[in-house]
Amino acid sequence: MADKKLRVMVAKPGLDGHDRGARVLARCFRDAGYEVIYTGCHQTPEQIVSAVIQEDVDLLGLSCLSGAHRYLYPAVTKLMKDKGIDDVTVIGGGIIPEQDFQLMYDAGLKAIFVPGTTLESIITWINTNVKPRN
Amino acid sequence: MYFAKEVLESSSKMRQKWEDEVKKLVSKWPDQKPDAQWSTVSDLPIKRLYTPDDIKDMDFARDISYPGQYPYTRGNQVTGYRGKYWTFRMFSGMGDAATTNARWHMLLKEGQTGLSTAFDFPTLMGYDTDSPKARGECGKCGVAIDTLEDFLVLTKGVPLDKITTSMTINPPATALWAMYCAAAEIQGIPLTKIGGTIQNDMLKEFIAQKTLMCPPEPSVKLISDTVEFGTLKVPKWNTISISGYHIREAGATAVQELAFTLRDGMEYVEDVLRRKKLDVDSFAPRLSFFFNSHIDFFEEICKMRAARRIWAKAMTERYKSKDERSWWMRFHTQTAGCSLTAQQPYNNVVRTATEALAAVLGGTQSLHTNSLDEVWCLPSDFAVQIALRTQQLIAEETGAANTIDPLAGSYFVEALTNEMEKQAWEYIHKIDDMGGMVAAIEKGFPQLEISDAAYKFQRQIDGAEKIMVGVNKYVSTEKESIPFLEIDDKIETEQIARLQAVRRKRDGKAAKKCLDDLKAACKKGDNVMPYCIEAVKALCSVQEICDVYREVYGEYRDPGLY
Amino acid sequence: METTKKIKGGDVRAASRLIRNLEDRVPEAKTTIKHLFPLTGKAHVIGITGSPGAGKSTLTDGLIDMFRKKGKTVGVLAVDPTSPFTGGAILGDRIRMQRHAEDPGVFVRSLATRGALGGLAKAVGDAIHVMDVLGKDIVIVETVGTGQQEVDIINHSHTVLVVLVPGMGDEIQAIKAGILEIADIFVVNKADREGSSKLSRELMAMLDMAPPSTFQGGWRPPIMKVENAFEPTGFNKALEDISNKIDEHHQHLVDKDIIGSRMRRKAVVELNEAIRASILEPVLQKLLSSGQMEGLIEKVMKKEIDPYTVAEDIAKRYLEGCL
């Protein structure tokens, strides 16, 4: 019988190497029954979008703690738009001050998860808002 | 025997009575949570009560001793904080060099006694501000430094012979230290008179912080170069700050932080001995350490006491060091960033205060206290002042500095110190058996231990087995707004313009020659430091120097372990 | 067909999506595969197997480099295990190959086993076809790496690399479990580690003892060493040698006309699997939906009837069309 799994990607754009959150999320997503691809640190927007296409993911989670999200997250979503990718949900986390939230939503992110978010609330959000492609 | 027989006998009777009473009461009035949850934040189990029995096998002279006497459990300095408080050393850097210089002068005016440099990510990773990899990153989490010109602006008005400076920098450490040395020379100060620290600890990068450039072998070689150069030319400089802070921030337990940090230190000692054939006592006195001070008060104090004992034993037993200054484990501490919360941020002032107090009672030589807003952004003037005052308050008002190692002799503190030391040695021996720290890193051992601990902790927070006030208990529905410091995006454009101006005005031929000389030195295996100093004086950039290393030594590729 | 056209045209997105549909067992995907099937057979398929920690992904990453230098395009199917408890999976091979992400000549696709044993995912066979029609000259299939049961790989590959690492402790078991039969090339990775010579000697001895008929067309698997991955010059040379050896093996298959037997092996497996799926799934589905299954389970539990008699009866009724 068909096994519809959610395919998700966790990516760290830019030079930030603080990957504790990304690694915890990768395990958490596996435990929630998703198939998760972690790109590792130090990814350019081009590398991330290329991976999104090659892996046919339903969800992309971006993590950045260096403050460079203002440039990097919109750079990723713009590149996806340019390549005609309109069916991947993008969410973000890391060190994102509140005054930047609107900028992120304007860039196309559907949710921002700041420090103090429980893993359960992230999974609940995903299960409610993102469905496997088929 | 630590206690006389009669003491233990009478304690035994009293304990029996107490245990019976506890049993009776607990059957009517159970504990608020199960035994297992009365543990440290790192899951070390803690007993309800500690008694003489818990330390009966201790030997006073062997295990506790006196300040300034082996094994230094009670501290290295005989006069304690009465002679000199720990250095109030606030980690700071933001935007461009001029802005950071202003913050530095403000902190010095407000009473900080040492400088500590936070660099931005392009600088930390060895890229120039105009590198495509650096887009969006300039000045966001620290100061942007591309060339010596920036560094001179950064250090303007700072008397480098009167104040010590720490620089948190790893793969490009040789380049930034070279800039500091060049800046001193320009101020007319001989290298023998400057003091400070470069973090320069690549092993913990592979384990935890991930500012990576070259593979482990050549990274350790560059570190040996700096140790040798410091030993011969810059005797007051601490060339490595062997760090546990980042290991802890990545999710390690306190014991893992203790074990991996000290084992890293041992790895460096062995490497310098093997590669440079220096006598251990010629360089070991200048090795320094950097620990985290996390939220579990007693665990941190005991960790620091255990660290001193472990290092002293390692230096005398493993490396046959003869000079006691090599046996002192001197350390800087930073309060735990990962313990701070985004929710109800003013609570962070309290967290930082208790963590700072733990570090003082643990005997730190130098301290940075986090600001309440650092979960969101770089610290504002308002927040950083509170953080600095926290240290000053502890020093002047609380009495914590009146007496040395006040908790010595406590049944609990001594027992926990012993337990942490024992567990740390288990890890250390395990890593020894793997062939050392570099081998353990290649096998992914410390990285996976840390990942496991981080995941476990997050699950515990999710399940409210461990509490974070404001996050999973005492949550408020109202959002608390605090003022945030913003780094203007246009700083990047300005910095790029400055960098390009420097490239235009410098003697291009001379700069290229310096880089070629550096490359030749790398290939021959010579000490790179003199070549770096020449290169920075010729206005070579951080990236230009690092590109030489990348070319000669190759770039490290993350094996991606979870 | 729209999808077929796109894949023939090199559309990576369409290809990845089709692989997704194959994994999810979407019926339309089967139709597309029928269209693609006649166009397959051009790619050289390389299987890489070995224990976890053997460094397969690092090798794959290096091999991608080598084949790109030779002007060949590369597809990679990297398989990782699905957790039997949660049904999820961390697909962690890509991270080691991410530096190729922007090279249009490289397509890396991660797959989870989704419960399949044998080291591969069920969809791998068809995913290889997709990569083939997409135009990839080389398709590298990297198995899960549990070592012992990973023989499925030979059903799909022209050339199989078995990667071993000294000091892992399990290389002897790998040898005992029949890895000898499937290897076309042995790679001793991290060969600068202690135990490397011993491992090579043991492999050598094992090959010496094997009957000559084991070596198809006279190809005795070479033992190739790769030392420290962080020392670029040596590492690149070792990988260049391996890529050349792979090409040599492919040529050997062609010259000795063995390629046909490898193709036959794949055809047998594919046919068996397709027939099994076409018959077994609808039969089980019918038994479940008609409620017959519950009754049968009860009877077998109570030992009123044995499972073999049940199966014979079902088969008879199926063939007579009265299930």
Side-chain angles (χ1 to χ4, degrees):
Chain A
M1 310 306 121
D3 238 353
K4 294 190 169 55
K5 306 276 186 185
L6 202 65
R7 277 176 76 88
V8 311
M9 180 171 294
V10 177
K12 285 196 65 66
L15 300 176
D16 170 39
H18 296 97
D19 61 355
R20 173 179 180 173
R23 285 154 70 145
V24 165
L25 273 179
R27 290 189 183 203
C28 164
F29 287 160
R30 175 202 58 201
D31 288 349
Y34 310 156
E35 291 175 351
V36 51
I37 295 129
Y38 172 44
T39 63
C41 307
H42 312 135
Q43 301 294 298
T44 62
E46 290 76 13
Q47 282 176 306
I48 293 172
V49 175
S50 174
V52 163
I53 295 173
Q54 292 185 13
E55 298 287 0
D56 193 37
V57 297
D58 303 305
L59 174 78
L60 170 65
L62 298 171
S63 161
C64 177
L65 283 79
S66 69
H69 56 277
R70 290 168 61 91
Y71 164 71
L72 289 166
Y73 291 10
V76 170
T77 52
K78 179 170 184 307
L79 195 54
M80 282 171 65
K81 192 152 165 251
D82 291 345
K83 296 204 181 253
I85 303 168
D86 57 1
D87 52 4
V88 176
T89 307
V90 184
I91 60 176
I95 303 286
I96 317 238
E98 272 173 11
Q99 61 253 37
D100 289 347
F101 282 15
Q102 196 51 54
L103 185 67
M104 299 293 106
Y105 295 137
D106 291 344
L109 272 75
K110 293 284 181 275
I112 312 270
F113 297 105
V114 295
T117 310
T118 59
L119 298 178
E120 199 192 317
S121 63
I122 299 177
I123 299 298
T124 305
W125 188 94
I126 294 174
N127 288 340
T128 312
N129 292 284
V130 188
K131 295 280 174 266
R133 190 175 312 294
N134 294 311
Chain B
M1 275 285 283
Y2 192 74
F3 292 108
K5 222 169 73 170
E6 307 80 58
V7 170
L8 289 175
E9 276 167 12
S10 91
S11 164
S12 186
K13 289 204 190 74
M14 292 186 234
R15 194 181 71 241
Q16 194 54 56
K17 178 160 184 268
W18 173 76
E19 278 173 3
D20 292 338
E21 295 286 313
V22 167
K23 245 201 222 116
K24 273 207 293 234
L25 195 56
V26 156
S27 61
K28 277 199 308 241
W29 224 288
D31 282 342
Q32 300 173 59
K33 43 187 189 180
D35 256 348
Q37 284 184 33
W38 293 104
S39 55
T40 67
V41 74
S42 303
D43 272 348
L44 276 184
I46 302 292
K47 290 157 61 152
R48 191 188 301 270
L49 180 74
Y50 286 78
T51 69
D53 279 283
D54 291 298
I55 58 170
K56 68 181 194 304
D57 295 323
M58 286 190 85
D59 179 298
F60 173 73
R62 181 194 71 192
D63 302 324
I64 303 182
S65 180
Y66 268 70
Q69 291 183 34
Y70 187 90
Y72 307 99
T73 316
R74 302 202 71 183
N76 309 319
Q77 287 144 321
V78 294
T79 54
Y81 292 130
R82 291 194 187 194
K84 189 169 96 112
Y85 287 136
W86 61 93
T87 311
F88 307 150
R89 194 185 289 283
M90 299 295 281
F91 183 48
S92 116
M94 53 212 273
D96 58 18
T99 315
T100 306
N101 179 267
R103 173 59 70 87
W104 279 14
H105 282 291
M106 179 271 257
L107 288 168
L108 288 170
K109 185 166 144 290
E110 293 300 334
Q112 97 164 351
T113 48
L115 291 168
S116 175
T117 326
F119 295 102
D120 69 359
F121 256 105
T123 311
L124 291 172
M125 296 289 289
Y127 292 112
D128 288 340
T129 306
D130 61 352
S131 159
K133 290 191 191 241
R135 278 208 68 182
E137 311 256 16
C138 176
K140 297 287 183 187
C141 68
V143 66
I145 300 287
D146 289 319
T147 67
L148 182 60
E149 300 253 307
D150 297 318
F151 206 85
L152 293 174
V153 171
L154 176 66
T155 52
K156 185 149 178 251
V158 176
L160 297 179
D161 55 344
K162 298 215 174 46
I163 195 153
T164 57
T165 310
S166 174
M167 294 194 282
T168 296
I169 188 84
N170 294 278
T174 48
L176 275 302
W177 192 29
M179 287 187 191
Y180 197 96
C181 294
E185 279 183 32
I186 290 169
Q187 276 189 23
I189 303 168
L191 295 185
T192 46
K193 289 240 158 57
I194 57 170
T197 307
I198 36 175
Q199 195 168 84
N200 199 27
D201 167 11
M202 281 311 295
L203 290 175
K204 67 98 172 43
E205 297 300 327
F206 294 109
I207 296 170
Q209 189 168 237
K210 313 285 170 83
T211 57
L212 302 167
M213 197 163 70
C214 299
E217 231 293 309
S219 300
V220 176
K221 184 260 174 196
L222 287 175
I223 292 169
S224 287
D225 280 359
T226 56
V227 172
E228 187 183 47
F229 190 76
T231 306
L232 301 171
K233 302 273 194 237
V234 198
K236 287 170 66 182
W237 196 274
N238 302 315
T239 41
I240 323 180
S241 176
I242 303 156
S243 305
Y245 178 80
H246 321 80
I247 292 175
R248 192 67 184 277
E249 293 289 302
T253 62
V255 167
Q256 288 168 350
E257 180 196 345
L258 180 59
F260 296 162
T261 310
L262 293 172
R263 190 56 188 75
D264 280 350
M266 296 176 207
E267 193 86 357
Y268 288 126
V269 169
E270 286 169 20
D271 192 86
V272 174
L273 290 175
R274 189 177 48 237
R275 209 191 283 269
K276 301 289 183 188
K277 316 265 188 272
L278 290 172
D279 179 71
V280 68
D281 290 319
S282 68
F283 67 89
R286 276 290 160 211
L287 298 174
S288 64
F289 289 83
F290 173 26
F291 285 108
N292 193 304
S293 187
H294 210 291
I295 194 66
D296 191 298
F297 189 66
F298 294 106
E299 187 174 54
E300 296 307 299
I301 296 168
C302 296
K303 179 187 80 188
M304 295 167 195
R305 299 173 90 244
R308 278 193 291 269
R309 211 154 63 193
I310 294 174
W311 188 250
K313 287 181 187 174
M315 290 310 288
T316 50
E317 291 164 20
R318 287 186 176 214
Y319 308 114
K320 313 287 186 246
S321 154
K322 303 271 182 321
D323 184 345
E324 65 163 359
R325 290 173 309 147
S326 302
W327 311 341
W328 300 344
M329 191 220 54
R330 302 169 304 125
F331 64 103
H332 169 78
T333 308
Q334 174 164 343
T335 58
C338 62
S339 68
L340 305 181
T341 59
Q343 295 72 20
Q344 300 174 26
Y346 289 107
N347 294 342
N348 293 330
V349 177
V350 182
R351 294 189 174 98
T352 299
T354 52
E355 289 163 358
L357 183 59
V360 168
L361 295 177
T364 190
Q365 275 68 53
S366 164
L367 180 62
H368 162 90
T369 31
N370 289 331
S371 301
L372 68 103
D373 51 2
E374 289 199 72
V375 182
W376 293 106
C377 52
L378 289 174
S380 61
D381 282 349
F382 165 71
V384 82
Q385 189 179 76
I386 296 178
L388 177 57
R389 294 283 179 259
T390 303
Q391 295 197 42
Q392 292 160 335
L393 203 148
I394 290 175
E396 309 284 6
E397 293 186 22
T398 65
N402 286 352
T403 190
I404 302 174
D405 191 34
L407 299 178
S410 148
Y411 312 126
F412 172 39
V413 167
E414 295 299 354
L416 189 56
T417 305
N418 295 342
E419 182 58 28
M420 291 183 79
E421 182 189 355
K422 173 164 158 280
Q423 291 193 21
W425 277 116
E426 279 165 17
Y427 264 119
I428 290 170
H429 292 138
K430 202 166 181 170
I431 293 169
D432 288 341
D433 290 339
M434 288 185 185
M437 199 37 125
V438 171
I441 290 170
E442 279 172 15
K443 292 194 164 92
F445 173 67
Q447 299 95 310
L448 286 170
E449 288 289 296
I450 294 169
S451 270
D452 287 347
Y455 193 52
K456 184 175 175 211
F457 182 74
Q458 187 59 47
R459 284 286 182 208
Q460 288 170 327
I461 293 290
D462 267 31
E465 279 172 52
K466 294 234 182 302
I467 302 296
M468 277 178 103
V469 170
V471 174
N472 60 6
K473 200 170 178 183
Y474 310 117
V475 177
S476 43
T477 45
E478 282 175 43
K479 257 214 193 113
E480 201 138 21
S481 266
I482 55 171
F484 288 155
L485 180 77
E486 275 197 63
I487 302 293
D488 199 330
D489 292 330
K490 77 176 192 320
I491 277 188
E492 186 168 322
T493 335
E494 290 165 7
Q495 180 65 18
I496 292 177
R498 270 191 288 269
L499 171 62
Q500 287 171 344
V502 168
R503 288 203 192 111
R504 275 193 302 270
K505 84 162 191 202
R506 71 183 177 183
D507 179 347
K509 271 222 198 82
K512 183 169 182 315
K513 177 161 188 313
C514 287
L515 294 172
D516 289 338
D517 289 345
L518 175 63
K519 194 192 309 195
C522 289
K523 288 205 168 126
K524 267 175 66 200
D526 288 347
N527 192 313
V528 302
M529 277 310 298
Y531 299 94
C532 279
I533 295 180
E534 288 310 304
V536 302
K537 285 200 218 158
L539 299 177
C540 295
S541 73
V542 171
Q543 181 166 348
E544 284 168 334
I545 292 174
C546 291
D547 280 348
V548 171
Y549 299 146
R550 289 185 181 105
E551 196 189 316
V552 177
Y553 300 126
E555 273 192 84
Y556 181 72
R557 294 218 279 270
D558 185 358
L561 301 153
Y562 308 107
Chain C
M1 243 205 107
E2 185 66 42
T3 316
T4 313
K5 240 189 16 219
K6 280 193 180 156
I7 293 174
K8 277 164 72 177
D11 185 332
V12 169
R13 203 156 164 222
S16 188
R17 191 140 300 184
L18 175 58
I19 295 176
R20 181 80 181 277
N21 290 342
L22 291 165
E23 289 180 286
D24 289 345
R25 315 254 277 273
V26 169
E28 291 78 51
K30 219 198 296 194
T31 317
T32 313
I33 284 293
K34 287 184 188 173
H35 288 267
L36 294 178
F37 193 80
L39 307 165
T40 63
K42 291 195 287 306
H44 180 193
V45 184
I46 301 165
I48 301 188
T49 188
S51 318
K56 299 189 291 296
S57 296
T58 312
L59 280 179
T60 307
D61 177 61
L63 283 175
I64 295 172
D65 251 343
M66 294 303 141
F67 286 121
R68 290 301 288 136
K69 282 202 179 88
K70 296 184 188 193
K72 303 214 174 137
T73 56
V74 183
V76 179
L77 296 166
V79 187
D80 271 311
T82 296
S83 160
F85 307 112
T86 68
I90 294 186
L91 306 178
D93 298 322
R94 180 178 201 96
I95 203 174
R96 271 150 270 185
M97 303 177 236
Q98 254 305 82
R99 68 191 174 98
H100 301 284
E102 290 180 75
D103 181 347
V106 179
F107 174 14
V108 176
R109 178 57 156 79
S110 312
L111 288 97
T113 54
R114 297 199 182 179
L117 302 171
L120 296 177
K122 278 213 178 82
V124 161
D126 286 332
I128 293 172
H129 290 318
V130 176
M131 293 273 192
D132 196 341
V133 178
L134 193 64
K136 297 301 171 209
D137 302 312
I138 308 273
V139 178
I140 300 177
V141 180
E142 201 188 301
T143 71
V144 167
T146 49
Q148 302 233 359
Q149 295 152 286
E150 296 193 356
V151 291
D152 280 7
I153 189 77
I154 67 164
N155 297 326
H156 300 284
S157 326
H158 298 106
T159 307
V160 175
L161 267 63
V162 172
V163 184
L164 301 165
V165 175
M168 294 285 276
D170 63 349
E171 57 267 23
I172 310 298
Q173 281 142 295
I175 293 167
K176 281 188 187 155
I179 298 294
L180 174 63
E181 283 88 50
I182 77 167
D184 295 307
I185 298 173
F186 284 106
V187 176
V188 176
N189 201 10
K190 309 187 194 183
D192 47 323
R193 284 211 195 147
E194 212 182 297
S196 149
S197 316
K198 179 164 176 281
L199 177 58
S200 297
R201 278 198 307 273
E202 278 167 355
L203 281 170
M204 199 73 87
M206 190 186 67
L207 289 169
D208 286 340
M209 285 197 305
S213 54
T214 320
F215 307 135
Q216 246 196 338
W219 175 275
R220 184 181 148 120
I223 301 169
M224 307 192 70
K225 289 185 168 188
V226 181
E227 293 193 0
N228 186 4
F230 295 135
E231 199 289 296
T233 329
F235 182 74
N236 288 338
K237 176 77 182 50
L239 256 81
E240 197 186 328
D241 290 343
I242 294 175
S243 73
N244 290 339
K245 193 59 70 174
I246 291 171
D247 286 340
E248 212 184 293
H249 181 253
H250 193 215
Q251 195 56 46
H252 167 84
L253 292 175
V254 169
D255 291 344
K256 300 282 172 154
D257 208 19
I258 305 167
I259 211 162
S261 76
R262 302 260 165 141
M263 302 282 76
R264 186 190 158 80
R265 196 166 57 192
K266 172 147 184 160
V268 165
V269 165
E270 282 187 310
L271 204 51
N272 278 333
E273 183 49 44
I275 294 171
R276 209 181 58 84
S278 272
I279 296 176
L280 186 62
E281 278 169 29
V283 166
L284 287 175
Q285 188 57 37
K286 182 75 194 286
L287 291 172
L288 279 166
S289 61
S290 63
Q292 292 180 67
M293 186 59 102
E294 257 319 299
L296 292 170
I297 293 174
E298 279 287 321
K299 286 200 171 134
V300 170
M301 261 174 56
K302 293 193 181 137
K303 312 281 184 192
E304 288 171 21
I305 195 167
D306 69 86
Y308 309 105
T309 309
V310 171
E312 279 164 13
D313 175 65
I314 288 170
K316 185 158 171 285
R317 286 193 288 144
Y318 172 77
L319 288 169
E320 286 166 5
C322 50
L323 198 64

